[in-house]
Amino acid sequence: MRTVSGGEVAGILVAVFWAILVSFLAVALVRVAQTLKATTKLVAEVTDQAVPLLADASAAVRSAQTQIDRVDAIASDVQEVTSNASALSTTVASTFGGPLVKVAAFGYGVRRALGGRREDAPARQPRSTVIVGRTVPAARRKRKKD
């Protein structure tokens, strides 16, 4: 029988250690490969779903831009109509405002003049004056005017 020397035992131990280390590395590499396959499959599925979503989003953005352009056109039309209405209002007020005020004042004066001359009209009650939530009698009001 042959005796095993110390160098041979050490060589066998190193060989066993390297075999175990290579086995662990092989298992780790297999698991990393499986993870990469699963990740690749997941990315492919997400890409398949994302492309139609991006197309829909692009269409929605184009539609929104079209609507914004329409609203902008409507807003500019409304602004033009508003300025035209303002100009028309100013023209009507300047054209008819003075004469209408004069006609109204004349009519009021005529009513006042004719109303004071009627003798069959009942005597009017004096009006009350309201001051800070209180009613002041007509007699007191006349004293203040004097």
Side-chain angles (χ1 to χ4, degrees), residues 17-114:
F17 171 74
W18 280 108
I20 292 172
L21 181 64
V22 168
S23 299
F24 282 130
L25 288 176
V27 169
L29 286 175
V30 168
R31 289 192 178 170
V32 167
Q34 289 173 351
T35 304
L36 285 176
K37 283 182 185 178
T39 304
T40 304
K41 183 179 176 183
L42 180 65
V43 167
E45 289 174 2
V46 167
T47 303
D48 291 342
Q49 293 176 1
V51 170
L53 288 176
L54 289 174
D56 291 345
S58 178
V61 167
R62 274 189 248 110
S63 174
Q65 182 62 39
T66 303
Q67 296 301 324
I68 287 172
D69 292 342
R70 288 179 183 171
V71 168
D72 187 36
I74 290 170
S76 65
D77 291 345
V78 167
Q79 184 178 8
E80 184 178 339
V81 167
T82 302
S83 66
N84 290 342
S86 175
L88 179 64
S89 171
T90 303
T91 303
V92 168
S94 65
T95 303
F96 298 112
L100 284 178
V101 168
K102 290 177 184 175
V103 168
F106 178 74
Y108 177 76
V110 168
R111 269 184 291 152
R112 185 98 167 150
L114 292 178

Side-chain angles (χ1 to χ4, degrees), residues 4-19:
V4 182
S5 68
E8 290 177 353
V9 172
I12 292 174
L13 285 176
V14 169
V16 170
F17 171 74
W18 280 108

